[in-house]
Amino acid sequence: MFFEFGIKDFLDILSVAFLLYYTYKLMKASGSINIFTGILVFILIWLVVSQVLEMKLLGSIMDKLVSVGVLALIILFQEEIRRFLVTLGSHKNAQAIVRFFTGNKNQKAMEHEDIMPIVMACMSMGKQKVGALIVIERDMPLDDIVRTGDVIDANINQRLIENIFFKNSPLHDGAMVISKHRIKAAGCILPVSHNLDIPKELGLRHRAAMGISQVSDAQAVIVSEETGAISVAYKGQFHLRLSAEDLERLLTEQS
């Protein structure tokens, strides 16, 4: 009996390959690549034992582990799954479909008038080596992060940003959240990334910026207190040692 290979089989294999590749990228960005590799090895052993060797006793035990393991994986990788769904929902094509059926308009993007005060404030703080961490909300709401700080709800202003991160300010240690063209809150607490691939010379601000970029679609701008260098964390990746033009371009393109 010949094996029939049609277009649906090709699409099926292509979809699985894409899913595995995207999961690999997601695990690598979050520092969980070893766990992902271990899961693949376990699935391979399970298929060999149950399907090829047909070892009933060991196969049944591994079947039970797989059935329970699905729930365990959901709990273990809840942040990664959440990020995957956020990325899927924030895709331009997906948003276009939703807007078509609901009639809702897309949230207005950051304008040049909003971006320039952030860029100028970061450049000024960088020259003075004043540490800062600014999180810019995109499609995924950051209400939980805002609640950890002090609500400000003010216009985006260069002088206000610099005053908040001034070394004697009570709010300078936390993160500032910018949402809907407003400085929403300051002194906010961010989740810290435990990715072992982050360079040792990058401090806690950079790890916090990486953390929020891994669990949301937000942009995080960091000004290093030690070197004055400006960086951006976005989608689990760093853009380091940026100039004013680079920072403006990144914030404009990703808005």
Side-chain angles (χ1 to χ4, degrees), residues 66-104:
V66 169
S67 60
V68 177
V70 172
L71 180 60
L73 289 176
I74 293 175
I75 298 174
L76 184 62
F77 294 110
Q78 55 181 326
E79 295 296 341
E80 284 77 7
I81 295 173
R82 181 184 182 187
R83 184 184 169 199
F84 170 76
L85 295 175
V86 168
T87 304
L88 185 64
S90 61
H91 194 275
K92 292 182 180 179
N93 293 333
Q95 289 182 347
I97 295 173
V98 173
R99 290 196 302 271
F100 176 80
F101 285 105
T102 62
N104 294 332

Side-chain angles (χ1 to χ4, degrees), residues 46-82:
W46 170 58
L47 291 174
V48 172
V49 169
S50 59
Q51 302 295 328
V52 179
L53 301 179
E54 296 183 354
M55 301 172 68
K56 295 182 179 180
L57 181 58
L58 186 57
S60 61
I61 294 175
M62 298 188 74
D63 288 341
K64 297 295 183 182
L65 291 176
V66 169
S67 60
V68 177
V70 172
L71 180 60
L73 289 176
I74 293 175
I75 298 174
L76 184 62
F77 294 110
Q78 55 181 326
E79 295 296 341
E80 284 77 7
I81 295 173
R82 181 184 182 187

